[in-house]
Amino acid sequence: MNLKKYLVRALHRLQKGPGYTYKELLVWYCDNTNTHGPKRIIKEGPKKKLMWFFLTLLFASLVFWQWGILINTYLSYNVTSSLSIGFKTMKFPAVTICNANPFKYSEVKPLLKELDRLIEAALERILQPGNSSEDESPPLDLELWNQIPLVLIDEHDKDNPVILDIFETNQTAVGNDTNVNNDTAGDNETMGNKTMNDFGAKPTVWSQTTAWNQTAAPPAPGNTTSEEKKYKLAVKLCSHQGSDNCTYRNFSSAAQAVTEWYILQSTSILSKVPLHERIRMGYQAEDMILACLYGAEPCNYKNFTQIYHPDHGNCYIFNWGMDEEALNSSNPGAEFGLKLILDISQQDYIPYLSSAAGARLMLHQQKSFPFLKDQGIYAMAGTETSIGVLVDELERMGYPYSDCTMNGSDVPVKNLYSQYNTSYSIQACLRSCFQNHMVEICGCGHYMFPLPEGVTYCNNEDNPGWAYCYSSLRSSIKQRQICIDSCKETCNDTQYKMTISMADWPSEASEDWIFHILSYERDMSTNVTLDRNGVIKLNIYFQEYNYRTISESAATTIVWLLSSLGGQFGFWMGGSVLCLIEFGEIIIDSVWITIINIIGWCKGLKQRRARARYPDAPPTVSELVEAHTNLGFQHEAPGAVPRAGELPPEPGTPPPNYDSLRVRPPDTLGPDSNRDTE
C-alpha cells in the first residue's frame, strides 16, 4: 500500500514538472553547479559575462574534442605484447618423421611404367634430338601424353613465339587466345597469367608438316650459346582435350617443368588407387625405424602412430597423445631426448618424382595435424642431425581485440582434417577452403587434400580439364584472398624453435661395424645391406627448460578510459562526476518542461476546437434531457418568430421514468421486500 502511494506521488511530481521556465532553470543551474565558469557568467558584469561565456564554451569544446579522441582510442582495441620467461617441466613435443619419397619405386613401378617411358622419350628428344631410338622400343601411350603434354616454346622471334609439340609434327604460332604462365626458379607456386600479346605476338596460327626433330629441333646442348638458348619447356594445360582454351606453364628450367609435369600425371594415376594400397606401397615403420631411444628408455616402431600423408606417403608420429598421455621430458639436454636411426632406402626412390633425398620431420603440438610441406625440415642421409628445442607460447586476445579463434567453431570453413580428430589450425583451414573451392569449381577434389563426403579425387579420365582448373584456381588471387579472410589464427599456440647441427655419421672408422649390426638387426643377414646414402641419425631434445610466453593485453581498459575522461574534464572545466550528474539533472528537467508545454499546447488546441463548434455556452445536462422528453422545453433559436396561423407547442409533462414505481413479479422480490410488507 505504501508502495502504491509512493508511486502515485512520484507520478504527480513528474506530471507537475520541475516548476521552472527554461530561463529560470538555466539561471538556477549556473548559480548552483560545481563546474567552474557558469557561475561567473551570471554574477559578473556585462563584459566579463561575455568573456566568461566564450571561455566556458571554448574549454567545453576542448573537453568534448579530447573525449572523442579518447573514446575512439578505446574502441580501436589496441593490444600490447609482453614477453615473460618461465621455468617448468614441459611436455615433449610430438615428432613426425616421413621419407622424402612417398612410395617405394619397386612397388609403384607397374603403375608409373608408361609415364616413365613417356618422360624418358621426351627428354631424349629434347636433349638428343638426332639420336631417337623410338623405332626400337614399344609404341608410347600418347593418349596419356596428350592429356597433359609437355611442349617447347621457341622464342627466337619474340614477336612470334612458336609452340613445338614434342611428339607431334605440328608447329603452332601462338595467337591471342593462348595464355603463358611464367614460373621462375624462386616462385614455382605463384603463376602470372600472361597472353602472348604481352610479348608482342600477332594473332596468327600456322602449321608445318615437316618432322619436329628434322626441322624444328633445338640446337644440340654442346653447341648452344647463350644467345641461342631461346627454347623453354612448358606444361600445356587445356580446359578439355582438343580445346583451344589452353594455358602454358612456362619454367625457367626444364628440370622444374619435368618435375611439375610428372607430379600432375602421377597425381591423376595414384588418385584412383585405394588408400590401403597406397599405404602398402609406402615405407613401413619396421623397415624405416631401425633404432629408438627416449631418455634412458628403449622404444621401437610400435611407439609411433602411423598416418598417411599425400605428400610423403606413410608418416609416423611419436608422442602424438591420441591414445596415451603425452610424455614429459625429465631433464633438458641431449641425453634425455629422443634418439632415432632411420633407413630411407634411397636406392628405391622414384626418379622423376623425388629429387631430394632424406627424411622429412616436424615438431608440433599433441593432437595437431603435421603439415610437413610448410613447416617441416629435412635431415640429410649419412649425417647425425641434432635438434635443440626452445618453446615459445603465444597467447592472443580474442574478439574484439583480434580475429582469432579458440577451437575453430566460429570459422565458416568446414575443417576437412577433423577426420583425423586433430585440433584446429590455420593451415588446416586454408587447405580445407582450397579443397572446397576445388570441388565447387572443378567438380572433383585434389589428391593432396582430404575429401568432403561424396566427392572423388580428380583424374584425367573422369575429369579431363582438372589440371587446367587446378592451375587457374591456384594462381587466382581472388580465391586465395577469400580463404585468407575466412580463416582465423588460433588464440593460443605453441611454437618450437629449433637449433640444428649436423655431422657425418657414421665415421669412416666405425661405419663397417655399425652397418653390419644395423643390417643384421633389420634383415637377420650377415650381408651388409645398408650404406651411408640410406641411414640417418636424429637427436631431438630440449636445450633448456626456460620457455618464453608472448602474451597480449589490452592497451586501453575501461579504467584507463574513465580516468582519462575525468582528467580532461577536471583539467579544462574543473569538474567531476557530480558535475556530470548536475548536468544530467538539468537535462531531465528541461525534458519535462518541454513535455508539459507540449501537453498544455495540445489541451489548448482541443479547447479552441471545442469553442469553434459551440459558439454559445454549451447547454447543461438537464437541458439536454428535458429537450428530448418535453416538447415545451425545446430549445428555440434566438429571434425566432412563429409562422402565421401557427400556435406555439403545448407544454407537456414527461411520464415518470423511475424503476421504483415499476411493477415487478413476486418471485423477483428479495427477503428485504417481504419484511417491509409485513
Side-chain angles (χ1 to χ4, degrees):
M1 191 64 184
N2 294 332
L3 179 61
K4 183 178 180 181
K5 290 182 178 180
Y6 175 79
L7 294 177
V8 171
R9 292 175 181 175
L11 181 60
H12 289 170
R13 285 197 299 269
L14 292 176
Q15 292 175 347
K16 184 179 179 182
Y20 302 119
T21 61
Y22 289 116
K23 181 178 180 181
E24 292 173 345
L25 185 62
L26 184 60
V27 172
W28 176 88
Y29 171 75
C30 294
D31 192 29
N32 293 276
T33 182
N34 292 317
T35 306
H36 302 313
K39 289 182 179 181
R40 307 296 295 270
I41 296 176
I42 63 173
K43 291 184 178 181
E44 298 292 342
K47 295 181 179 179
K48 286 189 176 182
K49 279 185 179 181
L50 184 62
M51 180 187 69
W52 278 104
F53 174 77
F54 282 109
L55 288 177
T56 303
L57 184 62
L58 174 62
F59 292 146
S61 302
L62 289 175
V63 168
F64 286 116
W65 175 57
Q66 291 292 329
W67 281 4
I69 294 176
L70 293 173
I71 294 174
N72 184 57
T73 302
Y74 174 76
L75 295 179
S76 62
Y77 299 111
N78 295 322
V79 297
T80 57
S81 299
S82 60
L83 175 64
S84 60
I85 299 177
F87 180 85
K88 67 176 181 180
T89 300
M90 292 179 290
K91 291 183 179 180
F92 197 78
V95 180
T96 300
I97 55 172
C98 311
N99 202 319
N101 184 62
F103 305 104
K104 293 181 179 180
Y105 189 47
S106 57
E107 297 288 343
V108 78
K109 188 174 182 178
L111 298 174
L112 304 179
K113 180 179 179 181
E114 291 299 325
L115 193 61
D116 292 343
R117 292 184 63 243
L118 282 173
I119 193 61
E120 288 171 359
L123 291 176
E124 183 179 0
R125 283 174 171 255
I126 294 171
L127 300 177
Q128 298 176 349
N131 300 326
S132 176
S133 58
E134 184 177 338
D135 297 336
E136 302 174 2
S137 59
L140 299 174
D141 185 5
L142 293 181
E143 182 180 356
L144 177 63
W145 174 268
N146 291 330
Q147 291 171 350
I148 305 177
L150 278 172
V151 296
L152 281 173
I153 299 179
D154 183 1
E155 295 184 347
H156 285 85
D157 185 359
K158 292 185 178 181
D159 295 333
N160 294 281
V162 179
I163 304 299
L164 306 175
D165 293 332
I166 295 177
F167 287 113
E168 295 184 4
T169 59
N170 291 336
Q171 301 179 0
T172 304
V174 183
N176 285 339
D177 56 347
T178 305
N179 293 336
V180 175
N181 295 336
N182 294 283
D183 284 3
T184 62
D187 188 8
N188 290 335
E189 297 297 330
T190 304
M191 300 179 297
N193 290 334
K194 297 182 179 180
T195 64
M196 295 304 287
N197 286 334
D198 297 332
F199 298 96
K202 297 179 175 60
T204 57
V205 177
W206 53 275
S207 62
Q208 185 171 330
T209 58
T210 55
W212 179 86
N213 54 6
Q214 294 179 1
T215 61
N223 300 327
T224 302
T225 63
S226 58
E227 290 78 10
E228 293 172 337
K229 292 180 181 178
K230 301 296 183 181
Y231 291 90
K232 288 185 178 181
L233 196 61
V235 180
K236 181 180 180 181
L237 303 174
C238 298
S239 58
H240 56 274
Q241 194 168 351
S243 172
D244 294 333
N245 185 21
C246 299
T247 182
Y248 296 85
R249 288 199 62 191
N250 191 7
F251 297 85
S252 60
S253 172
Q256 295 172 336
V258 170
T259 302
E260 181 70 15
W261 176 85
Y262 198 91
I263 290 175
L264 291 174
Q265 292 280 24
S266 62
T267 294
S268 173
I269 295 173
L270 295 172
S271 65
K272 296 179 288 185
V273 179
L275 178 60
H276 68 275
E277 280 296 313
R278 281 178 274 155
I279 294 176
R280 184 190 62 81
M281 293 186 297
Y283 293 85
Q284 306 305 314
E286 56 269 24
D287 298 329
M288 184 176 175
I289 303 172
L290 302 180
C292 176
L293 185 68
Y294 179 69
E297 297 293 330
C299 52
N300 55 35
Y301 69 91
K302 296 181 181 179
N303 299 107
F304 290 76
T305 304
Q306 184 269 337
I307 64 168
Y308 178 78
H309 200 286
D311 289 307
H312 301 286
N314 293 336
C315 294
Y316 304 96
I317 307 177
F318 178 79
N319 196 33
W320 202 13
M322 284 293 186
D323 302 324
E324 299 178 355
E325 194 72 21
L327 300 174
N328 291 325
S329 179
S330 57
N331 277 303
E335 296 180 0
F336 303 95
L338 177 65
K339 300 179 179 64
L340 295 173
I341 298 178
L342 307 176
D343 176 22
I344 61 172
S345 301
Q346 189 177 160
Q347 70 277 3
D348 208 8
Y349 270 35
I350 302 174
Y352 298 106
L353 184 63
S354 304
S355 57
R360 189 77 168 172
L361 63 99
M362 175 183 170
L363 308 182
H364 54 97
Q365 287 181 279
Q366 279 75 28
K367 299 182 180 180
S368 64
F369 190 86
F371 295 95
L372 292 102
K373 193 171 184 179
D374 300 332
Q375 301 171 332
I377 61 173
Y378 279 112
M380 189 169 60
T383 62
E384 177 177 349
T385 303
S386 296
I387 302 174
V389 181
L390 293 175
V391 179
D392 285 347
E393 296 180 353
L394 303 180
E395 298 177 358
R396 300 182 181 90
M397 296 192 69
Y399 181 84
Y401 295 95
S402 66
D403 193 20
C404 68
T405 179
M406 295 299 297
N407 53 14
S409 59
D410 55 342
V411 176
V413 178
K414 182 180 180 182
N415 185 11
L416 300 179
Y417 290 86
S418 59
Q419 58 185 279
Y420 296 97
N421 295 324
T422 55
S423 58
Y424 171 86
S425 66
I426 190 170
Q427 291 86 2
C429 180
L430 291 173
R431 282 158 179 76
S432 300
C433 180
F434 180 85
Q435 183 74 308
N436 291 331
H437 288 163
M438 182 86 179
V439 171
E440 181 181 354
I441 297 175
C442 305
C444 56
H446 195 272
Y447 168 74
M448 293 298 174
F449 311 110
L451 278 178
E453 187 176 355
V455 181
T456 58
Y457 284 122
C458 299
N459 60 78
N460 293 336
E461 286 75 18
D462 300 332
N463 314 96
W466 78 269
Y468 174 85
C469 181
Y470 165 69
S471 178
S472 302
L473 187 63
R474 190 174 69 170
S475 61
S476 173
I477 298 178
K478 178 182 178 181
Q479 296 293 337
R480 192 181 313 165
Q481 190 62 42
I482 291 175
C483 291
I484 292 175
D485 295 338
S486 301
C487 296
K488 300 179 181 180
E489 286 277 4
T490 53
C491 293
N492 298 320
D493 191 17
T494 300
Q495 296 180 353
Y496 297 98
K497 306 296 183 181
M498 294 176 286
T499 302
I500 304 173
S501 60
M502 291 183 294
D504 289 338
W505 185 87
S507 63
E508 293 183 359
S510 58
E511 66 178 0
D512 184 48
W513 69 269
I514 288 179
F515 289 146
H516 269 90
I517 291 178
L518 294 177
S519 299
Y520 178 78
E521 291 177 342
R522 189 186 70 167
D523 303 328
M524 301 301 293
S525 171
T526 57
N527 297 326
V528 178
T529 57
L530 297 175
D531 56 22
R532 183 178 295 275
N533 293 328
V535 294
I536 299 172
K537 186 175 182 181
L538 295 175
N539 296 325
I540 304 171
Y541 57 91
F542 282 119
Q543 282 185 302
E544 54 187 23
Y545 272 175
N546 291 336
Y547 67 95
R548 299 187 306 175
T549 300
I550 303 173
S551 58
E552 292 181 347
S553 59
T556 56
T557 61
I558 189 66
V559 176
W560 172 88
L561 178 63
L562 293 177
S563 62
S564 300
L565 294 177
Q568 293 296 325
F569 188 41
F571 177 74
W572 294 107
M573 298 288 293
S576 62
V577 177
L578 295 177
C579 299
L580 296 178
I581 296 175
E582 293 173 352
F583 188 71
E585 181 185 9
I586 189 177
I587 291 177
I588 295 174
D589 290 343
S590 301
V591 170
W592 280 118
I593 291 175
T594 304
I595 293 174
I596 292 172
N597 291 338
I598 292 174
I599 293 174
W601 180 81
C602 292
K603 288 182 178 180
L605 180 62
K606 187 175 181 180
Q607 292 176 358
R608 287 194 296 271
R609 289 179 178 176
R611 293 192 192 100
R613 185 176 180 182
Y614 299 101
D616 296 334
T620 62
V621 176
S622 60
E623 290 177 344
L624 292 175
V625 172
E626 293 298 333
H628 289 283
T629 58
N630 193 339
L631 297 177
F633 289 93
Q634 292 290 342
H635 178 74
E636 295 182 0
V641 178
R643 296 179 182 177
E646 184 179 4
L647 297 176
E650 181 179 356
T653 302
N657 189 18
Y658 302 101
D659 291 338
S660 60
L661 299 179
R662 185 175 300 168
V663 179
R664 291 183 291 177
D667 54 351
T668 60
L669 297 175
D672 296 338
S673 301
N674 294 335
R675 279 197 202 114
D676 295 340
T677 56
E678 292 175 359

